[in-house]
């Protein structure tokens, strides 16, 4: 798990769209999607419900995003 992966998850949650999230993070959509998928695989959970438009969070995904925001905020405080 990396801070960057958590930032990507937060961006997808904010935009509810992988393409727009990637644009906001200045990466390509495949790069962002791959990193989100790697995080989901590492945790053994699905963060986003990709069957809906706009993309929604799963129940556990909502908890992950809350923690991700805390972690990213704390990492920014260190900087």
């Amino acid at each position: 798990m990396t801070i960057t992966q958590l930032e990507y998850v937060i961006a997808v949650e904010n935009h509810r769209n992988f393409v727009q999230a990637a644009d906001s993070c200045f990466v390509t959509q495949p790069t962002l999607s791959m990193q989100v998928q790697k995080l989901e695989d590492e945790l053994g959970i699905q963060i986003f419900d990709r069957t809906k438009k706009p993309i929604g969070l799963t129940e556990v995904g909502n908890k992950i995003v809350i923690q991700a925001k805390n972690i990213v905020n704390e990492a920014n405080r260190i900087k």
Side-chain angles (χ1 to χ4, degrees):
M1 176 182 327
T2 67
I3 298 293
T4 300
Q5 288 172 326
L6 297 176
E7 289 172 335
Y8 291 171
V9 166
I10 293 167
V12 174
E13 191 267 337
N14 287 338
H15 293 279
R16 303 288 181 171
N17 180 290
F18 278 86
V19 173
Q20 291 174 5
D23 287 345
S24 75
C25 294
F26 306 104
V27 296
T28 64
Q29 180 271 323
T31 298
L32 182 133
S33 293
M34 181 181 65
Q35 289 302 314
V36 170
Q37 185 64 54
K38 284 175 79 173
L39 179 60
E40 289 177 323
D41 291 346
E42 180 181 337
L43 298 175
I45 54 103
Q46 188 173 358
I47 298 171
F48 297 102
D49 179 356
R50 293 165 175 84
T51 62
K52 297 179 184 177
K53 296 290 181 190
I55 293 166
L57 289 167
T58 62
E59 188 175 324
V60 71
N62 191 52
K63 294 176 184 177
I64 297 294
V65 167
I66 291 168
Q67 280 302 114
K69 287 177 179 179
N70 289 335
I71 292 165
V72 170
N73 286 336
E74 289 301 315
N76 288 334
R77 285 182 55 198
I78 290 172
K79 290 178 186 176

